[in-house]
Amino acid sequence: MARKPADQSVNREEIITAAADVLSRRGYETATMKDIAAAVNLTAASLYHHFRSKDALLLAVLEMGLEFTINRIQPITCQRGLSAEERLRAMIREHIVGVADNPAVGAAMVFEIHALSHAKPPTRRAKPEDVQAFEAFLTQRDAFFRRRDAFEHLFRAVVQEGVRSGEFHPVDVPIFVKALLGANNWVGVWYRPDGRLSGEAIAAEITGYFIPALVMRKGARDGLV
Amino acid sequence: MARKPADQSVNREEIITAAADVLSRRGYETATMKDIAAAVNLTAASLYHHFRSKDALLLAVLEMGLEFTINRIQPITCQRGLSAEERLRAMIREHIVGVADNPAVGAAMVFEIHALSHAKPPTRRAKPEDVQAFEAFLTQRDAFFRRRDAFEHLFRAVVQEGVRSGEFHPVDVPIFVKALLGANNWVGVWYRPDGRLSGEAIAAEITGYFIPALVMRKGARDGLV
DNA sequence: GTTATAATCGAATCTGCATTAGATTATTTC
DNA sequence: GAAATAATCTAATGCAGATTCGATTATAAC
């Protein structure tokens, strides 16, 4: 019968967390399975008990990071009683604070997604099971990319709603969101926990940059693109 | 005596350009020297006549991209007779259009800089000349990073000037510039030449997002962070 | 305690590249 | 055309690092 995993044994999630950290420090290609294993006191070989391949591990790291972020942001989008501006503000805050609180994941979401796109197919003469596994990987990867698009659409929907209702200026919604997410993601690249500003402070600052483009107070709307 | 290179022979610059393209498609670690060589009809071995190592080639790609961008933007910063806002607008435009015109380089500037940080030192038992070469590489890499900082400071200087003179709101200058450059760099990640908008149009759009945070027309400044 | 399987390890493989070695060809200079 | 060197090639070399294999240990279920 199936048995419960032992308590002191390393579980999937611990590995993913540790891997995110190692990846952010060494980068996907430079980080070895041995490095990652060492971070959880395992051998490289042992990692293959938990993940089919290095690529699969990377995918798991990115999926975890994305789900984490979506789980924080998605509820905000449908909060009744909040204006589009209020929701957008809250979403930006959550996004940036989330990145700042998990710089490893934040950096991975920018840099290592790249590696995901370049996963190498099994070479000729690969066992059929390997080909199978790779196709499963591709399917899972596509799902990840769709999920990432869904994340972007959370922002688009709120901005779009604000534009429709006249609360926001008629910006180009896809481009606005790309610019916003670019700025937010970039935080994961340069943020240092021991830096001058906290994640909260940075979030407040950056929110203040993007909101005025959408909302102009006191009716002074002319003169703006 | 030194002789002029033959006319039909491949030169450094062609290799760098081709390498940028290959790198943007395959990524640094995935792209092989053979791939890059093939893009200029050479053999992998031949590349070593032009570049000491793969790392050195990557560095050359990034240096070229950075110099290109700085050369377009630096002159704007000191144009007499233009307000800070006018200069900043022009700088953003040049930056984004530059990225859109060279998507390969733009993407490399975001993704592959990472690889640069992870260049591997020569293994033990390396010939002293190799150690020498690696140290030279490190020096050059540091210079590159300083140059990149200098690039960032071009933006900071203009924003700072606007803030000092009262033309701009008192934003947190370093953070503002990080957010701006994040949005701009991100264009290199998602821009497609056959997309809906031209580089110019995107530049105009994004400029319109950041300027209102700095400049509020018609004196309606209250209510803003 | 016996069995099944989860979790781990040490010690091979196996292979894909970066890089080197040693020619060969091309071009310029004189 | 001879000398020098730039530019290229073909054919190794070498190695790091992902992945596999086959054992071994630990734990849960019964």
Side-chain angles (χ1 to χ4, degrees):
Chain A
M1 289 282 102
R3 73 174 256 285
K4 219 180 75 187
D7 277 353
Q8 89 292 2
S9 70
V10 174
N11 66 25
R12 231 182 128 79
E13 201 158 318
E14 290 177 70
I15 297 176
I16 294 176
T17 305
D21 184 54
V22 174
L23 287 181
S24 76
R25 282 188 286 99
R26 303 239 211 296
Y28 178 71
E29 305 290 348
T30 317
T32 70
M33 288 299 266
K34 203 175 156 192
D35 289 339
I36 297 169
V40 284
N41 290 312
L42 284 187
T43 313
S46 302
L47 285 186
Y48 287 82
H49 186 71
H50 301 273
F51 297 91
R52 195 179 298 284
S53 70
K54 193 184 178 188
D55 285 337
L57 176 52
L58 170 63
L59 182 51
V61 169
L62 295 175
E63 277 174 342
M64 186 186 177
L66 184 58
E67 286 313 309
F68 173 82
T69 308
I70 289 182
N71 286 340
R72 292 171 65 131
I73 290 179
Q74 204 272 333
I76 300 172
T77 64
C78 47
Q79 254 175 44
R80 290 259 145 253
L82 291 187
S83 68
E85 177 186 341
E86 287 167 322
R87 275 174 289 158
L88 187 59
R89 281 180 179 273
M91 290 165 75
I92 298 174
R93 181 201 164 277
E94 284 303 314
H95 191 196
I96 293 180
V97 170
V99 167
D101 283 349
N102 305 277
V105 178
M109 291 298 290
V110 172
F111 291 124
E112 314 306 353
I113 276 186
H114 209 216
L116 204 57
S117 311
H118 299 129
K120 288 195 218 71
T123 49
R124 61 290 151 76
R125 298 296 142 169
K127 284 168 258 156
E129 30 177 327
D130 289 344
V131 178
Q132 278 275 304
F134 184 70
E135 270 161 25
F137 168 79
L138 289 184
T139 303
Q140 203 181 344
R141 187 183 70 174
D142 288 347
F144 171 79
F145 284 136
R146 277 198 303 279
R147 196 96 179 99
R148 192 194 49 176
D149 291 344
F151 170 70
E152 192 164 333
H153 274 278
L154 293 178
F155 282 87
R156 286 194 189 184
V158 171
V159 175
Q160 185 65 262
E161 189 186 320
V163 170
R164 278 245 176 77
S165 71
E167 184 185 346
F168 291 163
H169 289 290
V171 293
D172 185 312
V173 176
I175 304 293
F176 181 86
V177 170
K178 293 276 191 207
L180 173 61
L181 295 186
N184 292 0
N185 286 331
W186 205 243
V187 172
V189 175
W190 57 264
Y191 175 78
R192 295 292 170 270
D194 57 344
R196 177 169 59 88
L197 295 182
S198 67
E200 287 286 357
I202 292 166
E205 228 358 81
I206 293 184
T207 305
Y209 304 151
F210 282 94
I211 296 295
L214 295 174
V215 184
M216 189 89 348
R217 301 263 162 58
K218 303 285 179 190
R221 291 196 171 178
D222 47 311
L224 271 185
V225 176
Chain B
M1 290 285 103
R3 73 174 257 288
K4 216 178 76 184
D7 277 353
Q8 89 294 2
S9 69
V10 175
N11 66 26
R12 230 181 129 79
E13 202 158 317
E14 291 175 69
I15 296 176
I16 294 176
T17 305
D21 185 54
V22 174
L23 287 181
S24 75
R25 283 188 287 98
R26 302 240 212 293
Y28 178 71
E29 306 288 349
T30 317
T32 70
M33 289 299 267
K34 202 176 159 191
D35 289 338
I36 297 169
V40 286
N41 290 313
L42 284 186
T43 312
S46 301
L47 285 185
Y48 288 82
H49 187 71
H50 301 275
F51 297 90
R52 194 178 299 282
S53 69
K54 193 184 177 187
D55 285 336
L57 175 52
L58 170 64
L59 182 51
V61 168
L62 295 175
E63 278 174 343
M64 186 187 177
L66 184 58
E67 286 314 309
F68 172 82
T69 308
I70 289 182
N71 287 340
R72 291 171 65 131
I73 290 179
Q74 203 274 331
I76 300 171
T77 64
C78 49
Q79 254 175 44
R80 290 259 144 251
L82 291 188
S83 68
E85 178 187 341
E86 287 168 323
R87 275 174 289 158
L88 186 59
R89 281 180 179 274
M91 289 165 76
I92 298 174
R93 181 201 164 276
E94 285 302 316
H95 190 197
I96 292 180
V97 170
V99 167
D101 283 348
N102 305 277
V105 178
M109 291 297 288
V110 172
F111 291 124
E112 314 307 352
I113 276 186
H114 210 215
L116 204 57
S117 310
H118 300 130
K120 289 196 217 92
T123 49
R124 60 291 153 76
R125 299 294 143 169
K127 284 169 258 157
E129 32 179 326
D130 289 343
V131 179
Q132 277 274 304
F134 184 71
E135 270 162 24
F137 168 79
L138 288 184
T139 304
Q140 202 181 343
R141 188 183 68 175
D142 289 347
F144 171 80
F145 283 135
R146 277 199 302 280
R147 195 99 178 98
R148 192 194 49 175
D149 291 345
F151 170 70
E152 193 164 333
H153 273 278
L154 293 178
F155 282 85
R156 286 193 189 185
V158 171
V159 175
Q160 184 65 260
E161 189 186 321
V163 170
R164 279 247 177 73
S165 72
E167 184 185 347
F168 292 162
H169 290 289
V171 294
D172 186 312
V173 176
I175 305 293
F176 181 87
V177 170
K178 294 277 190 204
L180 174 62
L181 295 186
N184 292 0
N185 286 330
W186 205 243
V187 173
V189 175
W190 57 264
Y191 175 78
R192 295 291 170 269
D194 58 346
R196 177 169 59 89
L197 295 181
S198 67
E200 288 284 0
I202 293 166
E205 205 37 51
I206 293 184
T207 306
Y209 304 150
F210 282 95
I211 296 295
L214 295 174
V215 184
M216 189 89 351
R217 301 258 163 61
K218 303 283 178 189
R221 290 196 172 178
D222 47 309
L224 270 184
V225 176

